[in-house]
């Protein structure tokens, strides 16, 4: 009976994983491997359950747009509100036939003390996104922005991964985040997680492609005057060209519905370490192949406040998948949060109330677009040099 299983699980202090494990790679994207899988053995059983988003069969490319406004620390809140309202008119424009499937707002104060306020919007195809940019008036507005007169900076970062270059991981099948709003369903528990290299194994294209980046793309650690300190970008409109297999991770945390015990555990042991890890990537990322990292708060659309929302995400851009793998496997901050989570997920299984997820994409040059209007030189991919 359910009660017997429960008491056995509690007695062994270990979660009993359902036997029906599925591959994180959807059936229609599975193919014979020419690249080795990292899974320790074919019938490997992870210590706790995780799930992946399954998209409808006709979804073959997603679009994720980060539309941001950058405000000087001294600017008053009404200016930030005006920027939000401007972006909002396009996202919610009723005349656009293909509005985003989902969008929400996030903000972060960066290491130059600028407030970056962004919309995070998702579409289920490139054509839907392009139709929206035209019909909503966004494209006309965006191209008309003049960096020499705009009182604040603006940025547009668009990722257009085909589904073979995209993977997700959720520790609960019931909470939708980001791309999961476009799901057909969440998968049954997946086999490919709980070991280093599982992120790669979940990426369909990794079956046949080593997913290496541009060899010389790694930022030099010996640059004497970091390009990111170049102040002249603040009166320019700059497009950063695409980089081969640029790797993006959005890794989210939601502690809103945690039990008091887990909330304490998260806020005292994990969140501070996560912040240190993200600060490292933001300030010293070039040492490990990371161009940009923002630890962002999800904020209320109206108030701009993150209070009582209790959701954050790390958004980081790496020169290649191997660099992201290395950081997650080697950096003491991630090792600490990873270890802490593994330990209590192992015991609690699907009773864990902290919700974590990530979405990772490895982009072709033509599947990324970065444009900055009047932003400081440390913003996003501007830090990669221009
Ligand atoms: C994987 C914990 C934040 C990057 C994992 C795994 C855990 C974990 C337990 C292994 C999952 C599995 O395979 O079953 C956490 C916790 C976080 C957090 C508790 C926050 C509180 C982040 C952030 C990043 C990140 C912010 C990067 C920006 C990664 C990567 C992997 C991973 C790349 C996959 C490694 C691989 O499979 O090779 N994390 N993590 N994590 N995490 Fe995190």
């Amino acid at each position: 009976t359910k009660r017997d299983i429960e008491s056995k699980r509690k007695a062994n202090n270990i979660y009993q994983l359902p036997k029906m494990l599925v591959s994180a790679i959807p059936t229609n994207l599975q193919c014979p491997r020419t690249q080795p899988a990292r899974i320790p053995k074919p019938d490997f059983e992870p210590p706790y359950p995780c799930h992946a988003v399954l998209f409808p069969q006709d979804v073959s490319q997603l679009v994720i747009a980060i539309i941001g406004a950058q405000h000087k620390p001294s600017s008053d809140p009404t200016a930030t509100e005006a920027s939000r309202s401007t972006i909002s008119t396009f996202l919610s424009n009723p005349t656009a036939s293909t509005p985003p499937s989902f969008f929400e707002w996030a903000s972060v104060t960066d290491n130059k003390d600028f407030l970056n306020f962004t919309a995070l919007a998702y579409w289920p195809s490139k054509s839907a996104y392009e139709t929206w940019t035209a019909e909503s008036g966004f494209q006309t507005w965006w191209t008309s922005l003049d960096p020499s007169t705009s009182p604040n900076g603006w940025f547009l970062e668009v990722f257009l991964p085909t589904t073979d270059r995209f993977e997700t991981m959720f520790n609960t099948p019931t909470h939708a985040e980001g791309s999961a709003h476009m799901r057909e369903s969440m998968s049954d528990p997946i086999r490919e997680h709980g070991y280093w290299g599982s992120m790669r194994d979940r990426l369909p294209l990794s079956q046949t492609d080593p997913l290496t980046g541009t060899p010389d793309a790694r930022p030099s650690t010996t640059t004497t005057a970091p390009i990111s300190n170049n102040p002249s970008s603040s009166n320019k409109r700059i497009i950063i060209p695409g980089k081969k297999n640029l790797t993006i991770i959005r890794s989210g945390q939601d502690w809103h519905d945690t039990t008091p015990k887990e909330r304490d555990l998260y806020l005292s042991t994990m969140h501070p370490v996560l912040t240190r890890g993200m600060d490292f990537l933001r300030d010293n990322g070039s040492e490990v192949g990371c161009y940009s990292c923002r630890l962002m708060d999800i904020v209320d659309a109206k108030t701009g406040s993150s209070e009582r929302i209790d959701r954050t995400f790390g958004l980081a851009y790496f020169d290649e998948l191997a660099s992201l793998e290395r950081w997650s496997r080697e950096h003491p901050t991630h090792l600490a949060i990873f270890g802490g989570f593994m330990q209590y997920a192992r015991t609690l299984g699907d009773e864990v109330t902290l919700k974590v997820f990530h979405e990772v994409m490895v982009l072709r040059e033509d599947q990324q677009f970065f444009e900055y209007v009047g932003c400081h030189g440390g913003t996003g991919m501007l830090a990669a040099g221009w």
Side-chain angles (χ1 to χ4, degrees), residues 112-162:
K112 293 197 169 20
D113 213 25
F114 279 70
L115 176 69
N116 298 270
F117 195 84
T118 73
L120 200 66
Y122 288 75
W123 285 263
S125 71
K126 187 178 177 185
S127 65
Y129 169 71
E130 287 174 345
T131 304
W132 170 81
T133 61
E135 291 181 354
S136 67
F138 176 79
Q139 190 59 36
T140 310
W141 168 77
W142 178 258
T143 46
S144 74
L145 287 171
D146 180 350
S148 59
T149 55
S150 177
N152 61 275
W154 296 97
F155 53 95
L156 177 60
E157 303 178 333
V158 189
F159 319 132
L160 306 101
T162 38

Side-chain angles (χ1 to χ4, degrees), residues 332-347:
T333 55
H334 190 259
L335 283 179
I337 43 180
F338 172 94
F341 183 84
M342 287 285 260
Q343 207 172 350
Y344 86 104
R346 203 182 165 79
T347 313

